[in-house]
Amino acid sequence: MENNQEKKQTVLSLIQPTGTPTLGNYLGALKNWKNMSDGYDCFFGVADLHSITVRPNPADLRRRTTEMYALLLALGLDPHKNTVFVQSHVPAHAQLAWILDCYTQFGEASRMTQFKDKSEKHPDNVNVGLFAYPVLMAADILLYQTDFVPIGIDQKQHLEITRNIADRFNGLYGNTFKLPEPFIGKSGAKIMSLQEPNKKMSKSDTNPKAFISVLDDDNTIMKKIKSAVTDSEARVYRKDGKDGVNNLMGIYSCCTGKTDEEIEKEFDGKGYGDFKNAVGEAVCDELRPLRDEYNRLISDKAYLAECMKEGAEKASYTAERTLKKAMKKVGFLQ
Ligand code: ATP
Ligand code: LTN
């Protein structure tokens, strides 16, 4: 048994090309992708199929898909070691999604809070794709026999439905899909809006002061942090109800690795001005290398196209194996 090389566990996650990621996307998800990229067999993708549920302008979608892909490489993901792909380049995602649609109950899909939120936000376009969104996400995950899915806490419910669908299918046809586990970081799981700190920081917020984009320049970052909503107590410590300060402490902790205790000690006797300066500088230091690398990569379209092609081939190879297995189990002719 000498050649019994230990197989790495599999990690997969996707992000929609719906705009420039925020500090929330970065600390909640993308930073963990980078941290996991060495120790696991990783599949990371741009979820362009998911993004048409809100009907983007086609030219915008093309541009944003390329930008998001460049940003993933700018994180430091190695496109030769990891598999970095665009979802629509791998037809198996849409194919498995259809099969899984037939093993998902209307009732369970109706309980998804993201569906309810998005239908309220876009009442004029509550399409079937929006409803089936979590099933496509389940297909993304199950195709790769994924062990861990690094996500922000808002996606936890989608992971649960994925496990339920997989479990149901396995129960009917025998072991076909691995049941995935969510990987949710401790401090960055939910970064809140800088203007309404009881709401999630979101890239589609209409007020740009509410979020920091990962490509904002240093000056803009400092300004946005300085105008973040806090409270009138002027003391830096964590407590229920101090939403604005709790959020800034979380951001500072993610960027510096400091614990709440260390942060409270560091700002003991100091006001919010000093605290916000330090948070702003920590965020600038964290995002600067990403921005510089992104600016370099986005101008090299030929390199990006080459990496996308390699990613699509590698992803298809793994995805096709699971798809074939599922097709055989449900009774499609070989
Ligand atoms: P939207 O434009 O609908 O607000 P979004 O910002 O939530 O989109 P997604 O593409 O849906 O972005 O999410 C990408 C990843 O970032 C997901 O894993 C999600 O859980 C995570 N994420 C999104 N917002 C936050 C946040 N505020 N804090 C932590 N993680 C987040
Ligand atoms: N639904 C996710 C994006 C997404 C995803 C996935 C995340 C699509 N497919 C597979 C993890 C695994 C979102 O809205 N953030």
Side-chain angles (χ1 to χ4, degrees):
M1 307 294 146
E2 297 297 53
N3 59 353
N4 194 8
Q5 257 195 352
E6 239 190 83
K7 194 182 170 307
K8 284 184 179 172
Q9 289 181 299
T10 300
V11 162
L12 170 137
S13 202
L14 273 63
I15 183 164
Q16 298 189 72
T18 42
T20 308
T22 65
L23 185 65
N25 299 131
Y26 174 76
L27 297 177
L30 299 176
K31 195 174 172 178
N32 290 327
W33 296 16
K34 167 64 186 146
N35 289 340
M36 296 175 105
S37 65
D38 265 343
Y40 297 88
D41 188 14
C42 289
F43 294 86
F44 294 123
V46 180
D48 56 344
L49 296 177
H50 278 102
S51 72
I52 65 166
T53 51
V54 293
R55 202 177 303 161
N57 166 302
D60 284 349
L61 177 57
R62 277 189 287 273
R63 179 178 47 79
R64 286 184 175 151
T65 302
T66 308
E67 288 173 355
M68 187 60 85
Y69 191 87
L71 211 123
L72 298 188
L73 298 192
L75 283 172
L77 302 177
D78 179 339
H80 307 304
K81 242 176 62 197
N82 304 138
T83 300
V84 187
F85 67 102
V86 174
Q87 188 187 28
S88 68
H89 292 173
V90 184
H93 289 250
Q95 290 172 284
L96 183 65
W98 170 252
I99 296 177
L100 298 182
D101 275 335
C102 302
Y103 294 84
T104 306
Q105 294 306 303
F106 188 86
E108 65 184 335
S110 315
R111 284 193 290 275
M112 296 295 111
T113 52
Q114 182 171 305
F115 171 67
K116 292 186 215 163
D117 291 351
K118 294 229 163 150
S119 337
E120 275 167 29
K121 255 195 187 164
H122 306 272
D124 52 334
N125 186 19
V126 184
N127 57 73
V128 175
L130 200 59
F131 186 69
Y133 180 110
V135 187
L136 177 59
M137 178 161 161
D140 298 340
I141 298 168
L142 299 176
L143 278 172
Y144 298 88
Q145 307 294 344
T146 303
D147 292 284
F148 300 109
V149 186
I151 40 170
I153 209 152
D154 62 306
Q155 293 298 312
K156 198 168 167 232
Q157 202 186 24
H158 288 164
L159 242 283
E160 278 155 17
I161 198 174
T162 299
R163 289 173 60 93
N164 291 341
I165 297 169
D167 198 36
R168 184 173 304 134
F169 195 98
N170 288 346
L172 287 166
Y173 301 112
N175 211 6
T176 312
F177 302 120
K178 182 171 269 178
L179 297 199
E181 300 281 346
F183 178 91
I184 299 174
K186 235 166 75 207
S187 39
K190 196 166 185 186
I191 303 295
M192 311 307 277
S193 153
L194 298 177
Q195 292 301 313
E196 293 169 84
N198 54 349
K199 260 180 48 188
K200 170 183 113 144
M201 182 182 283
S202 164
K203 55 174 130 64
S204 44
D205 202 308
T206 46
N207 179 1
K209 282 168 102 183
F211 60 86
I212 288 173
S213 140
V214 296
L215 299 178
D216 278 345
D217 60 34
D218 287 1
N219 207 357
T220 310
I221 295 174
M222 291 307 286
K223 270 200 205 140
K224 286 184 180 176
I225 296 275
K226 280 183 188 161
S227 66
V229 168
T230 45
D231 52 58
S232 53
E233 201 182 5
R235 243 189 79 207
V236 178
Y237 70 107
R238 195 177 277 279
K239 188 180 147 201
D240 277 353
K242 277 175 82 75
D243 295 342
V245 171
N246 293 344
N247 190 35
L248 292 178
M249 283 180 72
I251 292 173
Y252 192 56
S253 163
C254 282
C255 295
T256 59
K258 292 178 185 170
T259 63
D260 279 354
E261 257 178 25
E262 288 167 333
I263 299 171
E264 284 169 15
K265 220 161 140 197
E266 183 177 349
F267 297 100
D268 189 21
K270 295 184 184 160
Y272 289 158
D274 287 332
F275 176 51
K276 284 181 169 178
N277 253 328
V279 177
E281 275 166 22
V283 173
C284 290
D285 289 346
E286 178 76 31
L287 296 182
R288 201 174 299 117
L290 177 68
R291 192 171 65 227
D292 292 348
E293 185 59 5
Y294 171 83
N295 287 332
R296 193 182 69 76
L297 284 162
I298 196 66
S299 57
D300 195 348
K301 297 287 190 303
Y303 175 70
L304 294 174
E306 216 176 277
C307 294
M308 280 184 195
K309 185 162 178 276
E310 180 182 335
E313 282 165 4
K314 286 195 292 181
S316 294
Y317 177 80
T318 305
E320 283 286 332
R321 287 173 56 165
T322 304
L323 176 67
K324 291 253 159 64
K325 209 159 127 185
M327 288 175 77
K328 191 171 168 196
K329 297 245 174 160
V330 298
F332 293 143
L333 273 178
Q334 297 283 287

